[in-house]
């Protein structure tokens, strides 16, 4: 097996995904607002990210010497898209949204937004030069990196209405939709693809709280076994799709990144990596092993059963926790995951012998 052609010298990055890489899309859309303590660790205020600080994508872009990625939906604050843009939106899925979906910005919509973005950029490049410091060059679309971290919501959301076998049967349909989007991007000149698989869904605190009440449903890590089985099967088929597309897109570079192994290793060996709490929510309410109550989201105040008001507050030291708000990881955990990604050892093809740097975070 050869090594991947990674030079970390991209003129632009175009990202597609859900809350794992959303740098402000959902908040900018008006579908949801987030309040302190979100963003407190790094930004000092909510930044549109569902985290206390930076996301994995923030650390990866830092490693590429690129600025943070502005959301395509952001319109205030004079956002620059010269080094790409981010189409990710929290709650979105690969499959088209339906009336009960958390987000309307499915993968197909994100692809459509990219096509609109590219069309507008090329139109502006053909006119006045005054916009050029805010938009990518024309060759950025062929030389840029296309990143993907999506699929988690298709699987996790399905568990509320489907059996494990029904969800497994749905995986090929989900991946067919994903493949269709990738082919559209390839038709538009995309040649460098970086695809994250999905993490151990059964280890997300929200899923343990809802589906793990019966201890027999949990695995050795204390995670919901069925969710993790489905995630692994999804990843096997996603990996196979990436292998197939390498043959179909012989002019392209497709890197598959095994996020599942990185995250499950972190949760299994949390103490080795300097964490105290692998599952317990940092910003939550209820105490105990999970410190999570879906009725009181992070930063919110509510009255529960006539008792209250009660508030879901952040913990004293976010660096001790893997989980931030019951669904998403802390900045410290995201930094750990980014470091592991950048070893190149969790990629297919691997790129460990190509690493020109060590990540030096602005910590």
């Amino acid at each position: 097996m050869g090594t991947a052609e990674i030079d970390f010298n991209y003129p632009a990055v175009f990202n597609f995904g859900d809350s794992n890489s959303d740098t402000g899309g959902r908040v900018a859309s008006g579908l949801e607002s987030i309040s302190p303590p979100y963003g407190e660790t790094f930004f000092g205020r909510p930044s549109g990210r569902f985290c206390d600080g930076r996301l994995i994508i923030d650390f990866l872009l830092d490693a590429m010497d690129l600025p943070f990625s502005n959301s395509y939906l952001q319109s205030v604050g004079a956002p620059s898209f010269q080094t790409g843009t981010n189409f990710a939106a929290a709650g979105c899925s690969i499959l088209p949204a339906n009336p009960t979906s958390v987000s309307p910005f499915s993968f197909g919509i994100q692809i459509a937004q990219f096509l609109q973005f590219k069309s507008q950029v090329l139109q502006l490049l053909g006119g006045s030069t005054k916009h050029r410091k805010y938009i990518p060059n024309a060759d950025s679309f062929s030389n840029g990196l296309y990143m993907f971290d999506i699929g988690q919501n298709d699987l996790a959301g399905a568990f509320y209405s489907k059996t494990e076998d029904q969800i497994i049967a749905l995986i090929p349909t989900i991946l067919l939709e994903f493949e269709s989007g990738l082919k559209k991007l390839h038709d538009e000149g995309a040649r460098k693809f970086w695809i994250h698989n999905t993490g151990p869904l059964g280890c997300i605190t929200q899923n343990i709280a809802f589906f793990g009440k019966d201890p027999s449903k949990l695995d050795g890590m204390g995670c919901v076994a069925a969710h993790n089985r489905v995630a692994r099967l999804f990843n096997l088929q996603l990996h196979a799709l990436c292998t197939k597309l390498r043959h179909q897109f012989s002019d392209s570079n497709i890197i598959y990144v095994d996020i599942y192994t990185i995250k499950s290793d972190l949760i299994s060996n949390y103490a080795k990596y300097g964490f105290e709490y692998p599952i317990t929510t940092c910003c939550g309410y209820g105490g105990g092993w999970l410190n999570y109550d879906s009725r009181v989201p992070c930063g919110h105040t509510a009255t529960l059963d006539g008792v209250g008001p009660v508030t879901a507050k952040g913990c004293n030291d976010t660096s001790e926790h893997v989980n931030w708000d019951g669904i998403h990881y802390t900045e410290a955990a995201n930094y750990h995951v980014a470091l592991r990604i950048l070893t190149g050892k969790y990629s297919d093809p691997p790129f460990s012998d190509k690493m020109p740097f060590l990540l030096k975070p602005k910590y």
Side-chain angles (χ1 to χ4, degrees):
M1 183 185 297
T3 54
E5 295 176 20
I6 291 283
D7 57 14
F8 288 91
N9 186 26
Y10 302 103
V13 172
F14 304 99
N15 185 71
F16 304 81
D18 51 33
S19 59
N20 289 316
S21 59
D22 178 0
T23 55
R26 183 171 180 84
V27 171
S29 73
L31 288 171
E32 187 173 352
S33 62
I34 51 178
S35 54
Y38 281 94
E40 65 176 11
T41 300
F42 182 77
F43 300 98
R45 56 180 175 77
S47 67
R49 293 160 175 80
F50 287 80
C51 181
D52 62 303
R54 289 163 288 183
L55 305 177
I56 294 167
I57 186 175
D58 294 319
F59 290 114
L60 296 180
L61 289 176
D62 189 45
M64 298 176 200
D65 287 326
L66 291 173
F68 292 148
S69 181
N70 287 311
S71 169
Y72 172 72
L73 295 171
Q74 285 175 328
S75 56
V76 178
S80 171
F81 301 111
Q82 191 173 44
T83 55
T85 188
N86 191 351
F87 301 94
C92 78
S93 56
I94 292 175
L95 291 178
N98 60 53
T100 62
S101 295
V102 174
S103 171
F105 301 107
S106 64
F107 186 53
I109 296 296
Q110 293 181 27
I111 297 295
Q113 289 174 334
F114 168 81
L115 297 177
Q116 174 74 359
F117 175 80
K118 181 183 177 186
S119 173
Q120 288 182 304
V121 166
L122 295 179
Q123 187 177 348
L124 288 170
L125 289 173
S128 167
T129 60
K130 67 179 181 179
H131 300 292
R132 297 198 174 197
K133 62 180 178 179
Y134 300 109
I135 57 177
N137 296 321
D139 63 359
S140 292
F141 294 106
S142 56
N143 296 327
L145 179 65
Y146 292 75
M147 295 182 69
F148 308 86
D149 192 328
I150 193 167
Q152 174 174 310
N153 293 318
D154 293 86
L155 304 177
F159 270 98
Y160 290 92
S161 60
K162 292 179 170 61
T163 66
E164 181 180 348
D165 287 342
Q166 287 172 328
I167 300 169
I168 291 169
L170 185 62
I171 290 173
T173 304
I174 297 170
L175 290 177
L176 195 62
E177 181 74 12
F178 186 60
E179 181 180 1
S180 173
L182 296 182
K183 286 182 174 177
K184 286 179 182 176
L185 292 174
H186 184 264
D187 289 344
E188 288 292 322
R191 293 296 181 265
K192 299 174 176 69
F193 300 85
W194 183 322
I195 300 169
H196 289 178
N197 71 9
T198 201
L201 305 179
C203 300
I204 294 172
T205 316
Q206 181 189 62
N207 291 334
I208 298 172
F210 195 91
F211 297 97
K213 295 182 178 70
D214 179 352
S216 69
K217 303 291 186 185
L218 303 178
D219 62 18
M221 294 189 295
C223 306
V224 186
H227 282 63
N228 283 352
R229 281 195 299 267
V230 166
R232 287 194 296 269
L233 284 169
F234 175 85
N235 291 338
L236 279 171
Q237 294 183 46
L238 176 63
H239 193 188
L241 172 61
C242 291
T243 302
K244 184 182 87 168
L245 290 178
R246 277 194 207 105
H247 295 292
Q248 290 186 5
F249 303 164
S250 57
D251 57 353
S252 299
N253 184 245
I254 299 172
I255 297 173
Y256 169 88
V257 185
D258 187 5
I259 297 293
Y260 184 99
T261 294
I262 296 172
K263 288 184 173 180
S264 59
D265 173 60
L266 169 59
I267 291 163
S268 297
N269 301 294
Y270 62 92
K272 182 173 96 174
Y273 300 119
F275 292 87
E276 296 280 340
Y277 307 100
I279 301 294
T280 310
T281 297
C282 169
C283 184
Y285 173 78
W289 175 50
L290 298 180
N291 190 37
Y292 178 79
D293 190 318
S294 62
R295 298 171 296 175
V296 194
C298 174
H300 287 240
T301 299
T303 299
L304 301 181
D305 306 320
V307 177
V310 297
T311 302
K313 299 178 181 178
C315 56
N316 292 330
D317 186 354
T318 62
S319 69
E320 294 181 344
H321 288 253
V322 171
N323 195 286
W324 165 242
D325 60 3
I327 301 173
H328 310 99
Y329 281 27
T330 59
E331 175 179 276
N334 287 331
Y335 173 58
H336 171 87
V337 174
L339 275 181
R340 305 290 277 190
I341 291 171
L342 289 167
T343 65
K345 298 173 185 176
Y346 298 88
S347 298
D348 178 28
F351 54 85
S352 52
D353 65 336
K354 300 262 186 170
M355 296 308 295
F357 58 84
L358 290 174
L359 183 59
K360 299 182 180 69
K362 305 179 185 75
Y363 231 60

